[in-house]
Amino acid sequence: MTAVYRAPMRSRRDDIDPQGALDRAQALGLCGFGGHDDPVRLARRIERFAEVADGSFVWTRDVDGLYWLGRLDGAYFYDADGESVDLVHVRPCEWRTAPMAESAAPTAVVATFGRGGRNFQRIHDAAVGDESARLWVSSVSGRTR
């Protein structure tokens, strides 16, 4: 079963536009998070993120509440050019070109975002991998990288 993750891509800094990181990620084919955290905790977060298998699905949500499905496709790297939107710890990610409404997203994805938070985390649900894979394959809008 393919692993599925919540990837809010919203900065922990409140002075950063929450849509900016997502716009950058989609334009450049990236997924990740910012760098302002306790150094020890940040190191653990980076290590866990870097170890996620290529091909894993990621879900994010934009400021309009629409859900975006992506798939990790490459190794971790530090992207200093992403500092302005606090998206510096990144991996290549292929994103669907069109978002979906909450009603079309898997229930487990909606529930995970509903709990709030800004952490990249695995979504533990027996059906979410198959549901995400079906949505990935059935995308008629194509994908972008």
Side-chain angles (χ1 to χ4, degrees), residues 2-142:
T2 303
V4 180
Y5 294 83
R6 176 184 81 163
M9 290 192 290
R10 182 174 176 190
S11 177
R12 293 176 183 274
R13 293 176 41 200
D14 291 332
D15 63 322
I16 300 286
D17 171 22
Q19 187 66 36
L22 179 56
D23 291 345
R24 178 177 174 74
Q26 290 175 324
L28 299 177
L30 300 172
C31 178
F33 52 88
H36 300 280
D37 203 352
D38 170 85
V40 174
R41 289 180 60 207
L42 180 58
R44 286 193 302 256
R45 288 176 63 218
I46 292 168
E47 183 178 355
R48 285 191 304 269
F49 179 60
E51 291 174 350
V52 171
D54 279 353
S56 295
F57 290 111
V58 292
W59 284 91
T60 197
R61 187 171 62 175
D62 64 24
V63 295
D64 296 322
L66 297 173
Y67 289 80
W68 293 85
L69 176 60
R71 201 158 197 192
L72 294 177
D73 186 28
Y76 164 83
F77 65 97
Y78 184 86
D79 181 16
D81 291 337
E83 287 180 4
S84 66
V85 293
D86 196 23
L87 184 71
V88 294
H89 301 289
V90 298
R91 292 185 53 182
C93 183
E94 186 175 358
W95 291 101
R96 284 181 46 150
T97 57
M100 62 188 72
E102 184 174 289
S103 60
T107 303
V109 171
V110 174
T112 301
F113 276 93
R115 289 191 289 274
R118 299 181 188 186
N119 289 332
F120 181 90
Q121 69 181 54
R122 186 161 183 179
I123 300 173
H124 296 281
D125 179 83
V128 74
D130 289 340
E131 291 171 345
S132 297
R134 273 193 297 277
L135 289 166
W136 184 258
V137 171
S138 70
S139 173
V140 294
S141 61

